[in-house]
């Protein structure tokens, strides 16, 4: 009897274990792993289930859950799929699942990973999504759209300039028999299509999508603007001919009435908004011209003064033969500095984005070398740059100053330990009135960078690398690196500096519409005279 009871107990335990195994819907333990997507040999993304306790009569004591396993971390990638399961009412239901692959390992259950049912029946519609390629594709498309928008705006600006010239000339056509009603109608037509063109362009700039319908709308309005300007030009020629005939008739009749009528002829009254845009465009054009003229004169001065100073000094440029050498540096450089640009005005959708400001600068400095005739020596190099945003539609300036301290080890081939401190401050402004858009952009920056690095120099060519600490990043982790190639030979010097993925500095007026992850590259290209001031044995 005891043996029978023992056997019955064993059988019941086995049955209970089977009913509560990991593949049975009556368990409340994590089940086995199911492969969902293969990332390579023996490298599968998997899913596991914890089924709810189910009494097979439709009742339940909780919810079923699922968890994931990702063998390899893949940033900005995910696996999407569906699985079917049996609901408590006996129906087959579907669950949509997305597994983010940013981190490897087991992703345990969270509040979103549950369903009202039990046994999983199938896994299907599996997709692997790489958002990196989509992001790069979007960036390339955005860059392409920017080029297209710039082309359309330049064409619109050219048409607008011709329109303004014709309208200005029309004010000189007067006379009793001059009817300007058609001219006024053509003006209205031009303004209508110009407004529609700006609306279409702003829509594309805001969404950064250039559908075929958008393109057709932009080109249609642009063509209508051009046609209106051509018609205005023809109408002005006709009116000019009529004015000459009217003038001859007036001389024959010799009446004063015609003179008074000509003074009261109909004239076009410019709208206040158009007048403001025109004046703003002219003001910016005047500043652009002044900056260009100052920069051209400054570049000429650098060449002339530098050549005169070099010619007036000795021709001994072998700095390695003297314990002390002092040289003056006079030159010019171009810089492309990453900054935050803010968009304001009715013509723009308010926002902030990363871009660059590009000043042309004049530079002065000193290079004091100590003990370069020995195996170990050092030099101190203070510098100052000031520049304007010449040869562009933007206006503004930039001031850049600091100093370098270097310790050289060696003679012909030198290892150089480098440290530097540098300040950059300036602003960049642009008024889109010149392209018939009521909007402006603005950038303002003021920061410093502390740099340290190492360089290799052979004879007169030096290659260096720096780690930079930017003041506006505060306590944030910084991985900012820059690279320099310099050449100093006789009276001539050259410096090329490049820093990829350089953080953008400046005021962010619209933090909710700003993507800080997009970075730009810093670039500087400059040449300078090396003028001998003093040396000692």
């Amino acid at each position: 009897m005891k043996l029978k009871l023992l056997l019955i107990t064993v059988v019941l335990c086995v049955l209970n274990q089977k009913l509560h195994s990991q593949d049975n819907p009556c368990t409340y333990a994590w089940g086995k792993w199911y492969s969902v997507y293969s990332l390579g040999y023996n490298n599968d993304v998997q899913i596991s289930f914890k089924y709810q306790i189910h009494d097979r009569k439709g009742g339940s004591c909780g919810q079923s859950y699922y968890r994931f396993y990702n063998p390899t971390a893949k940033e900005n990638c995910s696996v999407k799929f569906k699985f079917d399961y049996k609901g408590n009412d006996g129906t087959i239901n579907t669950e949509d699942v997305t597994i983010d692959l940013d981190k490897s390992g087991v992703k345990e259950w969270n509040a979103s990973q549950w369903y009202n049912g039990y046994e999983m029946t199938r896994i299907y519609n599996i997709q692997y999504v790489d958002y990196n390629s989509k992001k790069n594709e979007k960036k390339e498309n955005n860059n392409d759209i920017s080029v297209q928008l710039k082309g359309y705006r330049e064409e619109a600006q050219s048409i607008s300039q011709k329109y303004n010239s014709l309208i200005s000339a029309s004010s000189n056509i007067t006379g009793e028999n001059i009817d300007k009603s058609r001219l006024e109608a053509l003006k209205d037509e031009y303004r209508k299509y110009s407004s529609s063109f700006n609306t279409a362009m702003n829509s594309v700039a805001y969404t950064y999508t250039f559908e075929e319908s958008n393109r057709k709308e932009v080109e249609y309005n642009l063509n209508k603007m051009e046609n209106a300007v051509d018609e205005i030009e023809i109408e002005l020629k006709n009116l000019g001919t009529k004015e000459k005939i009217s003038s001859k008739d007036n001389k024959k009749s010799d009446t004063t009435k015609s003179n008074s009528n000509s003074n009261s002829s109909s004239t076009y009254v410019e709208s206040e908004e158009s007048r403001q845009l025109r004046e703003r465009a002219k003001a910016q054009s005047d500043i652009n011209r002044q900056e260009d003229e100052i920069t051209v004169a400054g570049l000429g001065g650098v060449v002339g003064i530098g050549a005169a100073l070099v010619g007036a000094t000795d021709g001994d440029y072998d700095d390695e033969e003297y314990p002390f050498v002092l040289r003056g540096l006079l030159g010019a450089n171009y810089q492309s500095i990453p900054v935050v640009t803010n968009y304001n005005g009715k013509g723009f959708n308010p926002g902030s984005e990363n871009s660059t400001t590009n000043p042309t600068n004049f530079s002065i400095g000193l290079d004091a070398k100590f003990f370069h005739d020995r195996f170990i020596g050092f030099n101190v190099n203070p510098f100052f740059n000031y520049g304007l945003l010449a040869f562009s539609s933007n206006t503004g300036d930039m001031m850049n100053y600091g100093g370098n301290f270097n310790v050289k080890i060696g003679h012909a081939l030198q290892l150089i330990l480098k440290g530097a401190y540098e300040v950059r401050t300036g602003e960049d402004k642009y008024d889109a009135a010149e392209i018939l858009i009521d909007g402006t952009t603005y950038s303002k920056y003021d920061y410093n960078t502390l740099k340290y690095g190492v360089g290799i120099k052979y004879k007169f060519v030096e290659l260096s690398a720096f780690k930079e600490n930017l003041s506006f990043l505060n306590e944030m982790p910084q991985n900012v690196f820059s690279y320099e190639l310099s050449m100093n030979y006789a009276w001539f010097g050259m410096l090329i500096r490049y820093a990829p993925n350089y953080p953008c500095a400046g005021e962010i007026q619209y933090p909710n519409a700003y993507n800080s992850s997009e970075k730009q590259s810093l670039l500087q290209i400059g040449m300078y005279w090396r003028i001998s001031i003093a040396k000692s044995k």
Side-chain angles (χ1 to χ4, degrees), residues 238-352:
N238 294 335
L239 292 176
T241 301
K242 291 179 181 179
E243 182 188 35
K244 291 179 181 178
I245 295 174
S246 176
S247 177
K248 291 179 180 179
D249 292 340
N250 291 338
K251 288 179 180 179
K252 288 179 181 179
S253 62
D254 194 22
T255 63
T256 59
K257 181 178 179 180
S258 63
N259 293 331
S260 61
N261 287 339
S262 65
N263 292 332
S264 61
S265 61
S266 60
T267 57
Y268 164 65
V269 179
E270 185 180 28
S271 69
E272 180 64 18
E273 183 178 4
S274 297
R275 183 189 65 79
Q276 291 178 0
L277 286 176
R278 177 173 54 79
E279 291 180 352
R280 282 164 47 187
K282 183 179 183 304
Q284 178 165 270
S285 178
D286 291 342
I287 297 175
N288 289 147
R289 184 175 62 255
Q290 293 172 6
E291 290 182 344
D292 293 349
E293 292 173 352
I294 292 172
T295 302
V296 169
L299 292 174
V302 167
V303 173
I305 295 173
L309 291 175
V310 167
T313 58
D314 66 78
D316 186 0
Y317 292 95
D318 194 350
D319 297 346
E320 306 300 323
E321 292 185 356
Y322 301 93
F324 172 72
V325 174
L326 178 62
R327 297 199 179 280
L329 307 177
L330 175 66
N333 61 71
Y334 165 85
Q335 296 189 32
S336 179
I337 304 171
V339 295
V340 176
T341 297
N342 301 287
Y343 288 79
N344 302 290
K346 294 188 296 184
F348 290 134
N349 290 291
S352 301

Side-chain angles (χ1 to χ4, degrees), residues 50-52 62-66 109 113-118:
K50 179 186 286 188
Y51 298 124
Q52 67 176 344
Q63 297 156 332
S64 294
Y65 309 105
Y66 51 91
W109 170 85
Q113 297 167 199
W114 63 273
Y115 60 94
N116 285 317
Y118 52 105

Side-chain angles (χ1 to χ4, degrees), residues 352-367:
S352 301
E353 70 174 21
N354 291 340
S355 61
T356 59
T357 182
N358 306 286
T360 301
N361 310 290
F362 309 106
S363 64
I364 58 174
L366 295 171
D367 188 11

Side-chain angles (χ1 to χ4, degrees), residues 90-101:
T91 61
I92 299 297
N93 301 291
T94 301
E95 181 80 0
D96 291 301
V97 179
T98 298
I99 305 176
D100 294 324
L101 305 182

Side-chain angles (χ1 to χ4, degrees), residues 3-174:
L3 180 59
K4 289 182 179 181
L5 289 173
L6 179 60
L7 289 174
I8 291 172
T9 302
V10 170
V11 171
L12 289 174
C13 288
V14 170
L15 289 174
N16 183 66
Q17 179 66 24
K18 183 176 181 181
L19 289 173
H20 290 78
S21 65
Q22 291 184 9
D23 297 319
N24 191 282
C26 299
T27 186
Y28 207 64
W30 285 112
K32 69 178 183 180
W33 290 101
Y34 295 90
S35 293
V36 176
Y37 184 84
S38 177
L39 299 174
Y41 175 72
N42 200 25
N43 203 24
D44 294 351
V45 177
Q46 302 176 56
I47 187 172
S48 174
F49 298 90
K50 179 186 286 188
Y51 298 124
Q52 67 176 344
I53 298 174
H54 178 58
D55 62 7
R56 297 188 179 280
K57 294 181 181 180
S60 62
C61 300
Q63 297 156 332
S64 294
Y65 309 105
Y66 51 91
R67 60 178 180 172
F68 311 122
Y69 171 69
N70 175 31
T72 305
K74 289 183 174 292
E75 187 175 1
N76 296 322
C77 296
S78 65
V79 172
K80 297 182 177 181
F81 63 95
K82 298 181 179 181
F83 71 82
D84 289 346
Y85 62 89
K86 293 180 181 179
N88 293 334
D89 57 359
T91 61
I92 299 297
N93 301 291
T94 301
E95 181 80 0
D96 291 301
V97 179
T98 298
I99 305 176
D100 294 324
L101 305 182
D102 290 348
K103 296 181 180 180
S104 61
V106 177
K107 181 179 180 182
E108 294 293 353
W109 170 85
N110 63 37
S112 65
Q113 297 167 199
W114 63 273
Y115 60 94
N116 285 317
Y118 52 105
E119 183 179 356
M120 183 274 294
T121 60
R122 67 167 179 155
I123 299 174
Y124 59 103
N125 280 10
I126 303 168
Q127 293 179 304
Y128 177 78
V129 183
D130 184 351
Y131 295 102
N132 295 303
S133 60
K134 293 180 180 293
K135 182 178 179 181
N136 292 336
E137 179 182 353
K138 180 179 179 182
K139 184 176 181 180
E140 292 173 1
N141 291 339
N142 286 355
N143 290 339
D144 181 57
I145 289 172
S146 297
V147 173
Q148 295 179 57
L149 290 178
K150 182 179 180 182
Y152 285 126
R153 283 173 177 154
E154 288 177 349
E155 188 173 352
Q157 183 181 4
S158 176
I159 295 172
S160 174
Q161 290 173 346
K162 184 177 180 181
Y163 169 81
N164 291 331
S165 297
L166 292 173
I167 297 307
S168 177
S170 70
S171 62
N172 298 323
I173 300 176
T174 59

